[in-house]
Amino acid sequence: TRSTRPQRLLKVVQKHATRGDPQSVISAIDHFCRRSEWAMNIGDEKGSILDSVVSELNPEKVLELGTYCGYSTVRIARLLPPGARLITLEFNADYAAIARQVIAWVGLEDKVQLVESASEDWIPRMTEHFGIETFDFVFLDHWKDRYLPDTKLMEGCGLLRKGTVLLADNVICPGVPDYLEYVRNSLSYKSCYFKSHLEYSKAEDGLEKKSVFLG
Ligand SMILES: O=C(NC/C=C/[C@H]1O[C@@H](n2cnc3c(NCCO)ncnc32)[C@H](O)[C@@H]1O)c1cc(-c2ccc(F)cc2)cc(O)c1O
Ligand SMILES: [Mg+2]
């Protein structure tokens, strides 16, 4: 049977990227998605904004919702200081298998823990299973109708502290209207919008960065 797009993306990484070199993996995936097959990675333009938010924050404990093929996982993990940890949740077994191989290719397994599970099942287990009380940085890039319920779940589980930064992809395209309305009107967040473009496209898209300042 025909291979899947994530399988073809992994082949491109294994053929064109250098083991242990995150930048070469990022470049190989971006080239493939721009020139051969579009895929829903954050991409290079929004990815640079993600890089600057992570670099400025220097987080120790990071949560990513929606791994897909691991492109943003690699972008984030490559910037983390020694001892920092990134937990990424992916409930599709096929995508998780691809992402594990991409993460292994760049040699970032010691910083990244991929949990093959739905976010709503694992957010409540972060403390007892990983000993994580609160996260410093959360990247949301999973189903768009799950950003708001999962944010409320993280609040309810006490995983967000004063200063925790949440960064959400696709706030314009495909869009996350309920999430935007909530975080822009809620008194416990201040937020800013980074205007950009949909990955590998000229369509408008953007990232919304929120920092929790009232615990
Ligand atoms: O739909 C988009 N992303 C979804 C990502 C889903 C990934 O995350 C995984 N996932 C989903 N929910 C959960 C979950 N928990 C929730 C469910 O229990 N727990 C764990 N993992 C979860 C999926 O298995 C996938 O791996 C998107 C679309 C466009 C787009 C724009 C324009 C177009 F024309 C077309 C497409 C651009 C983008 O950047 C996009 O991110
Ligand atoms: Mg996205």
Side-chain angles (χ1 to χ4, degrees):
T1 54
R2 182 165 157 64
S3 65
T4 65
R5 182 163 305 179
Q7 282 169 334
R8 293 193 292 275
L9 185 146
L10 175 63
K11 285 278 169 295
V12 162
V13 165
Q14 292 170 334
K15 185 157 183 258
H16 297 287
T18 311
R19 275 187 183 284
D21 176 356
Q23 191 52 55
S24 73
V25 167
I26 292 164
S27 304
I29 292 174
D30 285 335
H31 187 269
F32 174 70
C33 293
R34 192 176 291 289
R35 302 287 294 275
S36 308
E37 297 190 59
W38 188 93
M40 58 183 177
N41 315 119
I42 191 171
D44 44 356
E45 190 180 320
K46 288 187 290 178
S48 303
I49 299 169
L50 169 64
D51 290 356
S52 58
V53 171
V54 173
S55 302
E56 184 192 334
L57 197 62
N58 235 345
E60 297 283 319
K61 294 167 286 173
V62 179
L63 175 64
E64 174 180 61
L65 303 181
T67 316
Y68 188 44
C69 296
Y71 174 90
S72 50
T73 319
V74 168
R75 283 202 86 112
I76 297 168
R78 84 193 203 284
L79 299 174
L80 295 182
R85 278 196 295 167
L86 164 55
I87 294 169
T88 183
L89 307 183
E90 172 54 59
F91 72 167
N92 178 304
D94 299 328
Y95 296 161
I98 298 293
R100 286 191 203 285
Q101 293 173 81
V102 169
I103 292 158
W105 193 263
V106 295
L108 286 168
E109 306 95 314
D110 59 327
K111 288 187 188 301
V112 178
Q113 266 173 300
L114 191 158
V115 179
E116 194 175 317
S117 158
S119 50
E120 61 272 23
D121 296 340
W122 261 82
I123 284 172
R125 300 178 59 186
M126 284 300 164
T127 305
E128 45 102 6
H129 192 272
F130 288 112
I132 286 184
E133 301 292 323
T134 58
F135 283 101
D136 305 316
F137 178 64
V138 182
F139 178 56
L140 298 96
D141 195 20
H142 57 333
W143 294 155
K144 307 314 161 193
D145 62 356
R146 304 295 305 175
Y147 284 23
L148 184 53
D150 280 349
T151 297
K152 289 183 171 172
L153 184 58
M154 288 186 284
E155 284 173 354
C157 296
L159 289 170
L160 307 182
R161 58 158 173 82
K162 188 173 165 55
T164 298
V165 168
L166 293 94
L167 188 68
D169 190 24
N170 311 115
V171 296
I172 301 296
C173 176
V176 282
D178 60 343
Y179 175 80
L180 274 192
E181 199 267 336
Y182 177 75
V183 294
R184 286 178 175 174
N185 297 344
S186 158
L187 289 178
S188 63
Y189 292 103
K190 63 177 179 289
S191 76
C192 62
Y193 172 62
F194 293 88
K195 183 174 161 53
S196 184
H197 295 94
L198 176 68
E199 50 267 29
Y200 321 116
S201 149
K202 290 189 170 30
E204 180 179 344
D205 190 16
L207 303 172
E208 185 84 6
K209 176 188 170 193
K210 287 161 299 316
S211 38
V212 181
F213 63 92
L214 294 180

